[in-house]
Amino acid sequence: MEKNMEDRLIASKNRIQEIDDLLLKEDTSKDMKLFKSLSKERSDLEPIVEKYNEYKLAEKNKQDALVMANDSDPEIAAMGKDEIKNNDALMEKIIDELRILLIPKDPNDGKDIIFEIKGAVGGDEANIFAGDLFRMYVRYCDKEGYKVKILDETPCGVGGYSYVSFIVSGADAYSHLKYESGVHRVQRVPKTEASGRIHTSTATVVVMPQVEVDEVHIRTEDLRVDRYRSQGAGGQNVNKTESAVRITHIPTGIVVSCQTEKSQIQNHEICMQMLASKLAQLEEEKKQAKEASFRSKVGSGDRNEKIRTYNYPQNRVTDHRIGFTVQKLDRVMEGELDDIIEALTNYEQEQLIKGNKID
C-alpha cells in the first residue's frame, strides 16, 4: 500500500475516535446542527475505516503465514505459502476497494433532486418521448423506494408533456440519477403517424440537487411573482382559486412555477426552493467554467450535450459519453436503469482515481 494512502487511512481512523469523543460531550448533544454534522462525517468515514481494518487483518495473517512458510515441516510450509498467496490477493482487492472509498464524495450526493423534462426537437413526438422518459424515471424511483412529487406539468393532447418538473426524495437518489442531465434522443416510428418511417426526436433532462432557500442569497426586489389559476391535474378545489405561482428572477431570467399544491403559500415555498436550486447550479457552472476544473464526460451535466440514444427498431440504448450499449430498451423504459447507472458510476470512479482530465 502506498504511504500517502495509508496516511489518509490512519487519519480517518483517528478522526473517527475524535468524533466519538466529541459526540459524548454534553455541549455537542445540545448543538443539534453540530451533532448532525459530526454524525454524518462519522457515517462517511466508517466504511473506509472498516475496510482498512480488513486490510490490516489480512496483513497480519500474511505475516503469520510467512512464519508457517519457513517451517521445517513441508506440509505446514506449503499451507503457509498458500496462505501468503491468498492474503496477497485479498490485500490487493481491498486496496482497489479503498481507492474507490477514498474518492472525495460529491457534497450533493445525499440531497434530494429536482428534475425537469422538456419535449425538444420533433413536435408532438418529442413531447410523447418526454412523457416516456418521465414514466421511466418514476418506475425506476418506485423500484428503488424513492418518493416522486410532481411540481408543475404541461400535458399535451396527444400524450406526454411539453414540460414536467418533479422532486425525487430518497437516500442516495442524487448519486444515482445525477448523470441524467442532457439531451436524450429517440429513434422510432412516431406514434402520431401511420407511415413506417423512423423519425428522430429529442427531449431534454435537467437534474439539480435540491438547495434550501437560506443557502442562496435572493433579493426580494429581483423577483416578479405571478399568481394564476391552476390548469393542470389537481382537482376542482385547486382550479377554483389562484393557487398556482410563477416566479421570475429578473437578473437571470430564470422562471419557476408550481401548481400542484392547494395552498398558494405552499406553491410559493416550492417555487423559491426551485429557484434557489437553479441559482446554485448556475453559480456552480460559472465556477467550473472559470476555474476549468476537472469534469468528466459523465459529470459535466451539460444540458446541450446529446448523452443517450433510444433506438426502438434495434431495442437498443446507447450512452454516448462512455460508449455503453444495452440491447434491452423495452426493459430500460420500464425503469431498469441499473446497468446504465452502474456503468456511468464505474466510469467516473475510474477517471477520478486516474486523475484524468477530459475536455
Side-chain angles (χ1 to χ4, degrees):
M1 179 183 290
E2 304 96 325
K3 185 178 183 302
N4 63 337
M5 176 185 278
E6 184 143 30
D7 288 345
R8 289 180 64 188
L9 293 167
I10 292 170
S12 297
K13 193 168 184 175
N14 292 338
R15 178 57 181 162
I16 274 198
Q17 186 58 57
E18 290 175 10
I19 291 171
D20 287 342
D21 292 342
L22 287 168
L23 289 173
L24 292 173
K25 291 185 176 180
E26 187 177 349
D27 289 346
T28 303
S29 60
K30 289 179 179 178
D31 187 339
M32 191 51 62
K33 187 175 180 180
L34 176 60
F35 185 86
K36 286 182 178 179
S37 174
L38 289 171
S39 299
K40 172 71 167 58
E41 185 183 355
R42 193 191 192 288
S43 68
D44 290 341
L45 289 172
E46 189 171 26
I48 297 172
V49 173
E50 286 179 352
K51 190 61 64 175
Y52 179 52
N53 288 338
E54 287 180 30
Y55 177 86
K56 296 303 289 183
L57 178 60
E59 190 176 52
K60 180 182 181 300
N61 290 339
K62 179 184 174 180
Q63 293 302 317
D64 293 342
L66 282 168
V67 175
M68 292 174 63
N70 291 317
D71 196 275
S72 57
D73 186 323
E75 192 172 329
I76 293 176
M79 289 173 59
K81 289 173 183 177
D82 285 342
E83 280 297 304
I84 291 170
K85 188 184 297 184
N86 292 338
N87 281 287
D88 275 338
L90 178 58
M91 288 161 68
E92 284 301 315
K93 178 176 177 289
I94 292 173
I95 286 172
D96 288 341
E97 292 170 344
L98 282 167
R99 285 196 178 101
I100 293 172
L101 288 170
L102 287 170
I103 294 172
K105 286 187 176 293
D106 186 331
N108 294 316
D109 276 353
K111 294 183 178 179
D112 293 342
I113 308 167
I114 294 178
F115 254 91
E116 289 185 336
I117 304 176
K118 296 179 183 178
V121 178
D124 287 341
E125 173 63 12
N127 295 335
I128 292 171
F129 179 49
D132 292 341
L133 290 176
F134 171 64
R135 284 184 286 277
M136 176 184 77
Y137 290 125
V138 169
R139 286 165 183 157
Y140 173 78
C141 291
D142 286 344
K143 183 169 65 72
E144 295 296 315
Y146 301 151
K147 183 180 177 182
V148 174
K149 178 183 177 66
I150 294 177
L151 300 177
D152 197 9
E153 57 182 345
T154 307
C156 295
V158 295
Y161 299 90
S162 62
Y163 173 79
V164 59
S165 63
F166 54 101
I167 290 177
V168 176
S169 306
D172 299 323
Y174 182 78
S175 66
H176 290 163
L177 291 166
K178 62 185 176 182
Y179 308 117
E180 296 302 303
S181 285
V183 176
H184 294 241
R185 180 175 70 172
V186 63
Q187 294 173 328
R188 65 185 177 188
V189 177
K191 298 177 183 178
T192 55
E193 294 187 14
S195 65
R197 293 188 304 117
I198 295 172
H199 286 224
T200 298
S201 305
T202 61
T204 60
V205 176
V206 176
V207 179
M208 297 171 285
Q210 189 175 26
V211 174
E212 297 302 323
V213 177
D214 59 6
E215 294 180 53
V216 180
H217 178 60
I218 303 174
R219 302 193 316 163
T220 305
E221 56 267 36
D222 288 338
L223 305 179
R224 184 174 71 244
V225 181
D226 300 307
R227 298 170 179 84
Y228 57 99
R229 207 168 275 187
S230 172
Q231 299 301 310
Q236 282 185 318
N237 188 51
V238 174
N239 292 328
K240 285 179 180 177
T241 61
E242 290 191 343
S243 59
V245 175
R246 181 188 300 112
I247 297 178
T248 303
H249 186 252
I250 298 168
T252 61
I254 291 173
V255 179
V256 293
S257 57
C258 184
Q259 58 176 318
T260 55
E261 301 296 329
K262 294 180 180 180
S263 162
Q264 187 183 104
I265 294 173
Q266 287 176 305
N267 283 328
H268 187 276
E269 288 175 352
I270 291 171
C271 278
M272 289 299 294
Q273 198 165 53
M274 291 173 68
L275 178 60
S277 299
K278 288 196 171 193
L279 289 173
Q281 185 189 49
L282 185 63
E283 283 304 308
E284 181 62 23
E285 289 171 358
K286 287 179 181 177
K287 179 183 175 184
Q288 288 177 337
K290 184 177 179 181
E291 297 177 354
S293 61
F294 167 74
R295 290 191 299 164
S296 75
K297 293 179 186 178
V298 173
S300 65
D302 186 349
R303 66 192 69 191
N304 297 315
E305 177 191 6
K306 181 187 72 180
I307 65 166
R308 197 174 297 154
T309 293
Y310 303 75
N311 185 293
Y312 275 72
Q314 298 177 19
N315 196 35
R316 169 174 58 82
V317 181
T318 298
D319 195 288
H320 302 290
R321 293 166 292 182
I322 59 174
F324 180 80
T325 296
V326 290
Q327 300 288 152
K328 55 177 186 180
L329 180 146
D330 52 339
R331 284 150 61 190
V332 168
M333 298 311 292
E334 290 299 317
E336 293 188 23
L337 294 168
D338 300 276
D339 289 347
I340 298 173
I341 291 170
E342 183 179 354
L344 291 164
T345 302
N346 290 341
Y347 177 86
E348 180 147 61
Q349 286 176 345
E350 289 168 7
Q351 299 308 305
L352 287 167
I353 288 170
K354 293 175 184 176
N356 287 352
K357 292 187 177 181
I358 301 174
D359 295 330

